[in-house]
Amino acid sequence: MSHQHLLTVLLLTIGVVLPSQADTYADRYLQQTGARAVLFAGNGQARYPFKPENTYFLFGTDFKKGNITYDGIYYSNVLLNVDGYLDQLYAKSDTSSHPVLMVYDKVSSFTANGHKFLHAEDLLPDGSQVTGYVEILMQADSCILLRK
């Protein structure tokens, strides 16, 4: 057997024996997030080219425990906050300090800090210029009061 063939066999054997780091990170992620892993698979928080005076988050810098229906599944006691500048919902895991963007089309509704939010498109008539999340302030049989 030539040296080149021996080196190839040796390299292939080493590749089989060594574990992949990606698997290790993925396993650790799944252990920490459990059944909520689908919630924390989005993009990270937006970076702004300017520094906000206080915060752009609706509920301040602290995320509030709330409930979310995401991709048809209801999750309770999730740390949530809304980026009021970009009108985006973020969730944060109990084990991480990094917020994750929730995919708008997968969010049916959410509540946080005593506020309930739905998609404007689901509540307003066709042709309305309002898009994004709206807060339900009051709801009765014949009317609904919303805040953008």
Side-chain angles (χ1 to χ4, degrees):
M1 185 181 275
S2 72
H3 291 291
Q4 188 176 15
H5 291 306
L6 183 60
L7 182 61
T8 303
V9 169
L10 182 62
L11 288 175
L12 289 174
T13 304
I14 290 172
V16 171
V17 174
L18 295 177
S20 167
Q21 282 187 340
D23 289 341
T24 303
Y25 293 133
D27 290 342
R28 190 177 326 141
Y29 168 76
L30 289 172
Q31 279 180 337
Q32 290 178 349
T33 57
R36 295 176 177 218
V38 70
L39 282 175
F40 306 113
N43 293 330
Q45 184 177 348
R47 303 271 186 226
Y48 289 103
F50 58 89
K51 183 176 178 173
E53 189 173 308
N54 292 319
T55 181
Y56 43 84
F57 281 119
L58 184 62
F59 306 131
T61 55
D62 295 331
F63 279 55
K64 305 298 181 189
K65 285 205 175 195
N67 307 317
I68 181 173
T69 302
Y70 190 78
D71 206 14
I73 301 171
Y74 178 80
Y75 299 91
S76 60
N77 295 316
V78 179
L79 293 172
L80 300 170
N81 212 334
V82 178
D83 179 331
Y85 183 72
L86 294 177
D87 196 22
Q88 295 176 332
L89 176 64
Y90 286 90
K92 193 161 59 166
S93 149
D94 293 333
T95 59
S96 174
S97 61
H98 302 291
V100 177
L101 174 66
M102 299 289 95
V103 177
Y104 180 79
D105 291 335
K106 292 186 177 189
V107 176
S108 300
S109 65
F110 67 95
T111 58
N113 204 31
H115 305 271
K116 181 174 180 162
F117 296 86
L118 296 170
H119 290 177
E121 298 86 352
D122 294 341
L123 298 170
L124 299 173
D126 291 339
S128 171
Q129 298 291 324
V130 179
T131 60
Y133 297 112
V134 291
E135 179 184 359
I136 298 177
L137 297 176
M138 185 184 75
Q139 189 169 6
D141 291 337
S142 61
C143 71
I144 186 168
L145 181 61
L146 304 173
R147 175 173 49 193
K148 176 69 180 147

